[in-house]
Amino acid sequence: MRFMYIVTSSQPMRGPTPALMEAMAKLADREIKAGRMIDSGGLMPVSLGAQVKITDGKLSVVDGPFVETKEMIGGYAIFELRDKEEAVAAAREFMQLHLDHMPGWDGTCEVRSFATPGVDGACEVDVHAHA
């Protein structure tokens, strides 16, 4: 199963400490070599982003920063793992690095599985209906 980790924080955006960067690099290297980590990365500040919205049937573009943003997405990772239990265990290990190397930081690592055709609970598209 493929999982995405989305790391958020309601605290002002500050980069990871050098010690956290080193610890995350070691963890990522191990997970990539094991074939579990597919991709990961940090995100630039929301002030450099944009939102494309549909409201009342009209498209609009809003440049960042976004006034209503309460939590910032700081980064993500995509893993190929056996099941949710393995995904949660790996997320706990990742967040422990933050606890160990960034005292005082509060944040969340949301673990979400990808919708995969043929897997229970996944969105399925009937390709033949659109042909």
Side-chain angles (χ1 to χ4, degrees):
M1 294 180 71
R2 193 167 281 190
F3 292 88
M4 175 178 263
Y5 295 2
I6 304 164
V7 180
T8 60
S9 179
S10 59
Q11 295 179 324
M13 187 72 139
R14 61 182 171 126
T17 64
L20 178 58
M21 287 297 294
E22 183 180 333
M24 288 191 306
K26 287 179 183 176
L27 179 66
D29 186 54
R30 183 191 80 199
E31 294 300 304
I32 289 167
K33 286 179 179 173
R36 290 185 293 263
M37 183 183 278
I38 297 168
D39 189 23
S40 69
L43 299 177
M44 297 299 289
V46 71
S47 61
L48 300 176
Q51 292 179 339
V52 180
K53 295 181 171 187
I54 298 175
T55 306
D56 297 325
K58 294 182 182 177
L59 279 171
S60 65
V61 177
V62 178
D63 288 325
F66 315 117
V67 177
E68 66 275 1
T69 301
K70 290 182 180 72
E71 288 190 331
M72 307 294 258
I73 299 174
Y76 71 94
I78 300 173
F79 286 84
E80 185 73 45
L81 302 167
R82 285 187 306 271
D83 52 30
K84 181 180 174 185
E85 289 74 26
E86 184 179 20
V88 169
R92 286 181 58 90
E93 180 181 9
F94 176 73
M95 291 301 279
Q96 184 65 48
L97 295 178
H98 289 71
L99 192 59
D100 294 344
H101 298 287
M102 280 187 71
W105 181 82
D106 291 328
T108 302
C109 180
E110 184 176 334
V111 178
R112 301 277 304 271
S113 57
F114 279 71
T116 306
V119 175
D120 288 342
C123 299
E124 292 194 36
V125 177
D126 185 356
V127 186
H128 301 293
H130 301 291

